[in-house]
């Protein structure tokens, strides 16, 4: 439910933020890290499945409680916003071993996240190419819903999943 242009813009915008992760300053481990690929993969898979259902839930909310209809082009803009903001908020969630608020992102990462968020809201409000504009209330559902799922639910699930699959993961 997203146009080719939406996928291209989404990829560019999220890659822009991911590049700035190199500037981040999360707290280092107290002991040298060893990569437990099995644990990381299981947690990533579990969170990915959760995020798929959350995105579908947000899509349902938009179709149920806004002017968007499944056959309309507005659903492409709404889907774009869900995917963009779920990705941006998820970066804040996964960059920290403990709860996402344990450390603040670097200035560069924070600015990139802010800039991408502002551009995303503007694209949703103004529209571009095959992404027609949406009402502000509809944009707000996508942004707030993504924040609730990514920073609320998924951050807690991340901690639970790591405890379930890993005995050597630091729990900060």
């Amino acid at each position: 439910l997203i146009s080719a242009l939406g996928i291209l813009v989404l990829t560019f915008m999220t890659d822009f933020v991911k590049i700035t992760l190199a500037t981040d300053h999360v707290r280092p481990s107290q002991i040298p890290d060893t990569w437990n690929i099995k644990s990381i993969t299981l947690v990533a898979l579990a969170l990915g499945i959760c995020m798929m259902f959350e995105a579908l839930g947000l899509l349902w909310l938009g179709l149920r409680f806004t002017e968007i209809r499944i056959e309309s082009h507005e659903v492409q803009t709404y889907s774009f916003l869900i995917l963009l903001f779920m990705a941006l908020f998820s970066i804040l969630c996964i960059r920290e071993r403990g709860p996402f608020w344990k450390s603040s992102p670097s200035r560069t990462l924070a600015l990139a996240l802010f800039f991408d968020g502002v551009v995303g809201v503007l694209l949703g409000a103004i529209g571009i190419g095959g992404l027609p504009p949406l009402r502000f209330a509809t944009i707000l559902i996508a942004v707030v819903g993504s924040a609730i799922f990514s920073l609320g639910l998924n951050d807690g699930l991340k901690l639970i999943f790591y405890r379930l699959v890993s005995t050597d993961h630091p729990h900060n």
Side-chain angles (χ1 to χ4, degrees):
L1 297 177
I2 187 169
S3 68
L5 175 65
I7 292 171
L8 181 65
V9 172
L10 179 68
T11 301
F12 176 75
M13 289 178 71
T14 56
D15 283 352
F16 173 71
V17 173
K18 289 172 193 169
I19 290 168
T20 65
L21 277 169
T23 68
D24 200 17
H25 51 71
V26 292
R27 292 174 295 124
S29 297
Q30 298 300 319
I31 58 172
D33 282 330
T34 56
W35 291 89
N36 185 335
I37 298 302
K38 181 180 177 186
S39 293
I40 293 170
T41 303
L42 288 172
V43 171
L45 179 64
L47 284 175
I49 291 169
C50 290
M51 288 175 66
M52 178 187 66
F53 284 110
E54 292 161 1
L56 289 172
L58 285 174
L59 179 61
W60 178 83
L61 283 174
L63 293 171
R64 177 79 168 92
F65 296 106
T66 71
E67 76 284 356
I68 297 173
R69 301 294 162 246
I70 192 72
E71 65 278 354
S72 72
H73 289 288
E74 286 81 11
V75 75
Q76 293 180 17
T77 307
Y78 185 68
S79 298
F80 165 79
L81 290 175
I82 290 170
L83 294 174
L84 174 67
F85 282 98
M86 296 260 326
L88 295 179
F89 291 129
S90 292
I91 288 171
L92 285 174
C93 174
I94 63 168
R95 60 176 281 283
E96 174 65 53
R97 288 182 183 91
F100 77 92
W101 64 82
K102 282 277 194 172
S103 67
S104 58
S106 70
R107 174 183 267 164
T108 305
L109 177 57
L111 286 172
L113 287 164
F114 177 78
F115 175 75
D116 261 25
V118 168
V119 170
V121 168
L122 288 174
L123 288 176
I126 297 168
I128 180 176
L131 300 173
L134 300 176
R135 293 183 182 158
F136 185 72
T138 305
I139 295 168
L140 197 60
I141 291 171
V143 174
V144 172
S146 297
I148 290 169
F149 282 133
S150 296
L151 299 177
L153 181 62
N154 292 349
D155 197 57
L157 288 174
K158 167 191 74 177
L159 300 174
I160 292 168
F161 291 154
Y162 268 123
R163 284 187 185 106
L164 290 174
V165 300
S166 176
T167 57
D168 60 354
H169 182 77
H171 304 290
N172 301 358

